[in-house]
């Protein structure tokens, strides 16, 4: 909290009010406008909440100008280098890095909640085989409330905690089951003797007829990608989870809503859209035309994987992923012409005044698709990868929200632009 204030004067009435400035441990202060309507009779207008803080949170901090990302105070670069996704999930939820005993207990509990209810297979089989896996994931996660009645009392901290564990644990199982259903393979059950990432890769790719020969580079790369995608402040899908959570909805409904929000191409769906864009550009010599199209206000075409609401500098995750892309492709002895297109596109955009003036840099989605492709993750599963990783952030924010005394149901106001009051006229007189 701070004792600083701002003064606001209404030029129509010459009335001046004083509004408190709220500060956190890092970042810009925020004006508390709670009494604005009562004292001046005005609302604020901020489409997309570009300048509006919706909550206090201690989980993640972004400095968009400096390109800084901290999970519970730890720089993403250090976590990417030294941590694992499951340890990051523990950190996001609990606020501190675990000691060996705590991590072992957390990992054991997650491992023993990885199975999905057998009836859930019927949900997947209700989809047509070519359903988008995000549709199958969203529907299946929403249905979990029908199976786990012992985690629906959101007033019980233990039920909230167990729901968070279940969601982290079951997301890979359900995601891989959805993928295998779409290609006509039988699902693979989670193997408890494997770690979180390796277990997921086995559920995704192991065929019944032969054991999976897994290159350790693949598991390491996926673990790193999951760390980078685990959380990101009040992004659209996390804000959706919080808004749904503010109504008292069960955790499975909240996360299903987050999956739905993530699916959009302006958000988590961008990684799939980037690969389709790169394939459409096809060759580095076509990059110039793509950049011109993206600048054309009469065209809806945007450079997918570029720009960010908060980062007005390089997205630190994009930097890590770009470096990792070269290493993974070299380690797997994979060459991908789309990487050449991506590198050419990045250089062209970073030199173009349109992108420079608008501070449009590559974001987390620009390179991730190239790595997922090298890891043999199918394109339509890219956003599912994002959802698995972001589940850690979503449940961390959901848990935080339910411990926050300021939490109230989210219900924005509006500026009404419709018809003024008028009387009904019978159809015979219209
Ligand atoms: C993620 O919030 C998060 O933290 C999200 C995320 C996370 O981890 O949760 O980081 C993950 O969603 C990353 C973003 C992935 N989306 C994309 O890559 C899609 C392409 N990017 C854009 O759609 C856009 O940049 C957004 C949605 C990411 C941000 O949009 P903003 O902040 O609302 O910015 P804007 O649309 O107001 O654009 C500002 C200007 C506009 O031009 P002018 O009207 O000023 O002339 O920049 C232009 C836009 O037209 N612009 C682009 C562009 N992005 C913005 N022009 C061309 N190509 C682009 N990609």
């Amino acid at each position: 909290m701070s004792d600083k204030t701002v003064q606001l004067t209404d030029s129509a009435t010459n009335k001046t009010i004083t509004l408190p400035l709220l500060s956190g441990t890092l970042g810009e202060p925020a004006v508390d406008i709670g009494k604005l309507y009562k004292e001046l009779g005005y609302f604020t207008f901020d489409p997309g909440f570009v300048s509006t803080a919706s909550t206090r949170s201690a989980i993640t901090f972004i400095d968009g100008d400096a390109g800084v990302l901290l999970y519970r105070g730890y720089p993403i670069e250090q976590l990417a280098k030294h941590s694992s996704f499951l340890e990051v999930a523990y950190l996001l939820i609990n606020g501190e890095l675990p000691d060996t005993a705590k991590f072992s207990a957390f990992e054991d509990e997650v491992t023993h909640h990885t199975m999905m209810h057998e009836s859930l297979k019927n949900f997947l089989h209700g989809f047509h085989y070519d359903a988008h896996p995000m549709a199958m994931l969203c529907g299946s996660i929403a249905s979990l409330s029908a199976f786990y009645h012992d985690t629906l009392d959101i007033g019980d901290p233990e039920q909230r905690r167990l729901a968070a564990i279940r969601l982290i644990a079951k997301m890979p199982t359900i995601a891989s089951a959805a993928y295998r259903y779409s290609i006509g393979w039988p699902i693979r059950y989670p193997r408890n003797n494997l770690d979180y990432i390796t277990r997921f890769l086995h559920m995704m790719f192991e065929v019944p007829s032969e054991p999976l020969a897994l290159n350790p580079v693949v598991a390491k790369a996926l673990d790193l990608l999951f760390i980078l995608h685990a959380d990101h402040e009040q992004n659209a899908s996390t804000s959706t989870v919080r808004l749904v959570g503010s109504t008292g909805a069960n955790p499975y409904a909240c996360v299903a809503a987050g999956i739905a929000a993530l699916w959009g191409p302006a958000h988590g769906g961008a990684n799939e859209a980037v690969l389709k864009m790169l394939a459409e550009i096809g060759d580095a010599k076509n990059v110039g035309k793509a950049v011109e199209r993206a600048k054309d206000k009469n065209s809806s075409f945007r450079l997918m994987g570029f720009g960010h609401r908060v980062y007005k500098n390089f997205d630190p995750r994009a930097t890590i992923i770009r470096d990792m892309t070269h290493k993974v492709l070299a380690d797997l002895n994979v060459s991908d012409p789309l990487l050449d297109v991506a590198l050419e596109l990045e250089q062209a955009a970073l030199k173009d005044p349109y992108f420079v003036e608008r501070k449009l840099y590559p974001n987390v989605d620009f390179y991730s698709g190239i790595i997922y492709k090298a890891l043999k993750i199918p394109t339509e599963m890219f956003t599912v990868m994002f959802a698995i990783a972001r589940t850690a952030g979503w449940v961390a924010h959901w848990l935080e929200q339910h411990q926050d005394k300021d939490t109230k149901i989210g219900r924005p106001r509006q500026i009404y632009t419709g018809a003024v009051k008028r009387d009904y006229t019978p159809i015979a007189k219209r």
Side-chain angles (χ1 to χ4, degrees):
M1 292 292 280
S2 83
D3 53 7
K4 294 194 176 75
T5 60
V6 292
Q7 299 216 315
L8 191 60
T9 298
D10 180 353
S11 56
T13 62
N14 236 2
K15 180 177 180 184
T16 298
I17 66 170
T18 301
L19 297 171
L21 267 184
L22 306 177
S23 295
T25 43
L26 293 172
E28 297 78 2
V31 178
D32 179 349
I33 57 164
K35 61 183 183 181
L36 177 65
Y37 179 64
K38 187 169 166 228
E39 299 205 2
L40 283 188
Y42 299 131
F43 295 133
T44 57
F45 181 63
D46 185 17
F49 311 115
V50 175
S51 304
T52 297
S54 57
T55 185
R56 290 186 174 89
S57 177
I59 298 173
T60 293
F61 175 72
I62 301 170
D63 179 335
D65 294 329
V68 168
L69 170 56
L70 308 177
Y71 287 169
R72 297 285 188 176
Y74 294 99
I76 192 67
E77 294 82 2
Q78 293 183 27
L79 293 170
K81 191 171 178 185
H82 303 297
S83 189
S84 68
F85 169 69
L86 208 57
E87 183 180 73
V88 163
Y90 180 99
L91 172 66
L92 291 169
I93 289 171
N94 296 291
E96 298 296 334
L97 288 168
D99 61 22
T100 306
K102 284 179 180 163
F103 181 70
S104 174
F106 179 72
E107 184 175 38
D108 186 68
E109 191 171 20
V110 168
T111 297
H112 291 90
H113 280 284
T114 51
M115 291 281 284
M116 71 182 202
H117 196 288
E118 278 295 290
S119 301
L120 211 50
K121 286 197 283 189
N122 301 330
F123 284 76
L124 294 175
H125 295 167
F127 287 97
H128 201 263
Y129 73 93
D130 61 354
H132 195 288
M134 283 295 279
M136 292 194 257
L137 188 68
C138 191
S140 302
I141 295 299
S143 76
L144 292 181
S145 60
F147 295 98
Y148 301 107
H149 302 140
D150 61 345
T151 47
L152 300 183
D153 174 4
I154 61 167
D156 178 349
E158 175 50 23
Q159 291 195 33
R160 297 201 300 264
R161 188 197 66 81
L162 180 54
I165 292 286
R166 278 200 171 117
L167 281 158
I168 290 172
K170 295 181 193 303
M171 197 62 84
T173 308
I174 294 170
S176 56
Y179 166 61
R180 294 174 75 98
Y181 171 67
S182 72
I183 59 173
W185 285 5
I187 71 165
R188 301 298 286 162
Y189 288 97
R191 288 166 45 179
N192 292 352
N193 63 319
L194 300 176
D195 66 60
Y196 189 88
I197 298 292
T198 311
R199 177 166 59 233
F200 170 57
L201 289 166
H202 272 256
M203 290 191 285
M204 277 287 289
F205 298 120
E206 193 174 44
V207 294
S209 45
E210 59 190 51
L212 179 70
L214 189 63
N215 183 329
V217 169
V218 174
K220 177 69 187 139
L222 192 59
D223 190 55
L224 177 50
L225 285 165
F226 278 16
I227 289 172
L228 299 176
H229 285 81
D231 193 49
H232 215 237
E233 284 193 0
Q234 305 306 320
N235 59 86
S237 54
T238 300
S239 296
T240 300
V241 170
R242 279 179 171 264
L243 182 61
V244 177
S246 73
T247 71
N250 72 72
Y252 310 107
C254 294
V255 169
I259 294 169
L262 187 72
W263 197 356
H267 188 17
N271 53 20
E272 184 177 346
V274 166
L275 215 72
K276 286 177 180 163
M277 173 190 73
L278 293 175
E280 185 189 325
I281 293 170
D283 187 291
K285 70 178 185 302
N286 301 326
V287 156
K289 275 187 288 188
V291 170
E292 290 311 309
R293 271 181 69 200
K295 293 158 56 178
D296 178 1
K297 288 302 168 197
N298 298 317
S299 158
S300 61
F301 179 77
R302 284 195 161 185
L303 286 191
M304 302 314 279
F306 265 81
H308 198 277
R309 171 62 56 76
V310 178
Y311 289 122
K312 301 308 173 189
N313 195 325
F314 250 87
D315 180 336
R317 303 168 297 175
T319 305
I320 295 168
I321 292 178
R322 182 188 338 108
D323 298 344
M324 187 170 94
T325 303
H326 293 292
K327 185 178 180 322
V328 167
L329 268 59
D331 289 350
L332 296 179
N333 196 23
V334 168
S335 70
D336 186 343
L338 294 184
L339 177 58
D340 301 331
V341 178
L343 289 168
E344 180 64 27
L345 186 57
E346 178 184 15
Q347 290 313 310
L350 292 183
K351 284 187 285 210
D352 188 292
Y354 174 96
F355 290 86
V356 173
E357 287 155 15
R358 291 167 177 79
K359 298 185 178 182
L360 301 175
Y361 292 90
N363 58 48
V364 68
D365 294 304
F366 187 64
Y367 283 100
S368 54
I370 293 172
I371 294 190
Y372 284 138
K373 184 164 173 270
L375 302 184
K376 301 198 185 325
I377 303 282
T379 307
E380 67 276 6
M381 285 291 287
F382 287 4
T383 310
V384 172
M385 298 296 114
F386 199 149
I388 294 170
R390 190 51 59 89
T391 297
W394 288 334
V395 299
H397 282 271
W398 180 75
L399 290 171
E400 182 182 63
Q401 159 180 58
H402 284 289
Q403 293 157 340
D404 181 349
K405 63 177 176 37
D406 289 340
T407 294
K408 56 179 67 173
I409 188 168
R411 202 268 185 228
R413 307 305 292 259
Q414 64 171 18
I415 293 178
Y416 177 68
T417 57
V420 296
K421 188 178 170 199
R422 53 185 171 166
D423 295 325
Y424 182 84
T425 48
I427 193 165
K429 292 188 176 175
R430 287 179 215 154

